[in-house]
Amino acid sequence: MLQIEIEPVWRFHKEGSPQTAVVMLGVLNEIRTTGKLTSAAHHAGLSYRHVWNLVEQWSEFFGVPLVETHRGKGTTLTAFGEKLVWAGQRMQARLGPQLENLAQELATEIKPFLHQRPSVIRVHASHGFAVSRLRELLDKEPGIGVDLRYVSNQNSLVSLAQGACDLSGVHIPRGELRAQAIKACREWLDPREDRVISFVTREMGLMVKSGNPLRIGSLNDLVETRARFVNRDHDSGTRTLFDRLLAQHKIDEAKINGAQQMEFTHAAVAAYVASGMADAAFGVEAAAKQFGLDFVRLLTEDYFFVCRRAFLDTEPMQRVLDIMKGQAFHDAVTLLPGYVAVSPGAVSTVKEFLDIVGPATSPPVKIKP
């Protein structure tokens, strides 16, 4: 199956000579992580000498050293080197999902002209780590194509209702905010024709700097400490959830320092905090751990899929359910901090799933479509 990848490329211009920084940023990030030039060389598939020359050439290009060597203690990045790495991480986290959507649109336009036309499942879902893992496994399946578009939580259900997708990814919180989230979903669900597919749970909370220097332990602490906050965009389901949490705790958003500063993914806000540009953000635990941040858990969300009853009978969808139930997917989710595979692939009616307004600890009942 045809796959297209679009990646952002950094080019620094100096005296009319553009320099591409992709390899250099990868080397610096590996040095930051391991403290070893040998590891950076191995990761880049280059010789130690080549990597060292690369670092020296870029240091000369900028006129500022990128690394510092310490006898017997390995290699560390300078402050400038750290800034470059985190800027690259933020760029990838911010643009990654948008570029994936663009690549998928391009692939969809090209496929009708090709002879090989696998069964394509159209998936509209809020961006999430477990969704990415599922997509990776589906890409390995011969004869199945996945047209995955990252859209907001509410828009995914609108897409399903309008026939623009086959699978809609939705997440709703457990606990006191569950009923409010369900109410917002109901108008786009058809209890007779729609079916709910259990997927995963994920932990949501505050991402804070390693060691939690401001001792942030609650939403109120964001106001009390005057912590610099970075928020999610208004169209995201995570932003809606955060706004509802503020209303629940009677916290005025205007009192949160930086609440109008926005990024577009969980990874992007985590990278923002990790780079020192903010003290806290709200999102999934997996993003916090990816960037070495501490995490203050606030609630658990159910992430599930919705599809039409008739679509469950199709051979491609049956294969998707088999992959969800398989060991490979379970193992992949186990590696994601804060994620738990909860009866993935189990099918329930809309009523059975959404009428549970409490903690919803029991898995949905599997039924025949």
Side-chain angles (χ1 to χ4, degrees):
M1 175 182 171
L2 174 70
Q3 294 185 27
I4 298 175
E5 293 183 1
I6 303 176
E7 298 179 348
V9 176
W10 278 31
R11 287 193 177 92
F12 292 94
H13 293 258
K14 186 177 181 181
E15 299 176 358
S17 176
Q19 301 290 327
T20 302
V22 174
V23 176
M24 180 268 293
L25 289 173
V27 166
L28 292 182
N29 186 51
E30 191 67 19
I31 292 173
R32 181 188 67 82
T33 302
T34 66
K36 297 179 180 179
L37 273 171
T38 52
S39 179
H42 177 74
H43 186 264
L46 302 171
S47 68
Y48 179 91
R49 180 180 295 276
H50 187 102
V51 167
W52 181 247
N53 288 338
L54 184 68
V55 171
E56 288 192 322
Q57 289 169 9
W58 276 103
S59 296
E60 182 179 351
F61 176 83
F62 287 117
V64 179
L66 298 176
V67 304
E68 296 175 339
T69 56
H70 309 276
R71 186 180 297 274
K73 296 183 178 180
T75 305
T76 60
L77 300 186
T78 62
F80 179 65
E82 286 272 0
K83 185 61 68 176
L84 283 178
V85 168
W86 286 119
Q89 296 273 10
R90 290 202 314 277
M91 178 184 67
Q92 184 60 47
R94 178 185 296 175
L95 298 180
Q98 299 176 52
L99 293 179
E100 287 183 40
N101 279 354
L102 182 59
Q104 187 61 66
E105 290 174 13
L106 180 58
T108 300
E109 293 175 5
I110 291 175
K111 284 173 187 174
F113 296 93
L114 305 178
H115 295 297
Q116 185 181 10
R117 299 182 184 179
S119 300
V120 175
I121 296 177
R122 301 168 301 164
V123 183
H124 286 193
S126 174
H127 188 264
F129 288 77
V131 175
S132 296
R133 296 297 183 272
L134 178 63
R135 197 259 175 85
E136 291 169 5
L137 293 173
L138 290 174
D139 284 342
K140 298 176 183 178
E141 282 289 300
I144 295 183
V146 180
D147 183 346
L148 173 61
R149 310 292 176 93
Y150 290 120
V151 302
S152 68
N153 198 42
Q154 190 71 13
N155 285 341
S156 68
L157 283 177
V158 175
S159 295
L160 182 68
Q162 296 176 346
C165 72
D166 304 307
L167 276 180
S168 167
V170 185
H171 49 92
I172 58 175
R174 295 184 175 187
E176 295 180 16
L177 296 178
R178 191 177 185 88
Q180 189 177 0
I182 289 174
K183 183 179 179 180
C185 294
R186 281 191 185 278
E187 64 177 299
W188 298 107
L189 292 171
D190 185 339
R192 296 167 300 176
E193 298 298 328
D194 290 338
R195 292 294 180 263
V196 178
I197 302 168
S198 186
F199 191 50
V200 297
T201 64
R202 62 184 191 181
E203 299 303 308
M204 304 290 294
L206 296 174
M207 312 176 195
V208 297
K209 292 180 180 179
S210 178
N212 196 2
L214 296 181
R215 298 293 182 264
I216 295 172
S218 67
L219 291 174
N220 284 312
D221 290 339
L222 295 177
V223 178
E224 295 296 328
T225 63
R226 295 294 298 162
R228 295 170 301 158
F229 190 75
V230 56
N231 215 337
R232 285 293 305 278
D233 58 293
H234 288 291
D235 290 334
S236 70
T238 297
R239 175 61 179 268
T240 299
L241 176 59
F242 182 70
D243 289 345
R244 288 172 179 168
L245 278 171
L246 293 183
Q248 180 187 27
H249 292 273
K250 297 180 174 56
I251 297 174
D252 183 357
E253 180 187 271
K255 294 183 179 180
I256 297 178
N257 180 20
Q260 298 308 312
Q261 174 66 45
M262 293 183 293
E263 286 289 348
F264 292 88
T265 66
H266 292 283
V269 293
Y272 211 88
V273 176
S275 66
M277 298 178 67
D279 300 308
F282 178 74
V284 296
E285 182 177 356
K289 299 306 181 185
Q290 177 184 347
F291 288 91
L293 303 175
D294 283 2
F295 182 75
V296 180
R297 180 190 174 279
L298 296 180
L299 55 83
T300 301
E301 274 193 323
D302 286 300
Y303 197 118
F304 56 95
F305 287 102
V306 182
C307 73
R308 294 301 193 199
R309 179 181 60 174
F311 188 66
L312 285 171
D313 293 328
T314 64
E315 192 269 341
M317 188 59 211
Q318 288 299 312
R319 291 169 66 183
V320 171
L321 294 178
D322 288 341
I323 291 174
M324 286 185 183
K325 297 172 185 177
Q327 190 62 43
F329 177 70
H330 185 275
D331 292 343
V333 172
T334 300
L335 297 176
L336 295 174
Y339 276 82
V340 177
V342 180
S343 301
V347 180
S348 65
T349 66
V350 171
K351 187 177 191 316
E352 286 171 328
F353 193 86
L354 295 186
D355 277 357
I356 303 174
V357 296
T361 55
S362 299
V365 178
K366 186 173 182 180
I367 65 169
K368 293 181 179 181

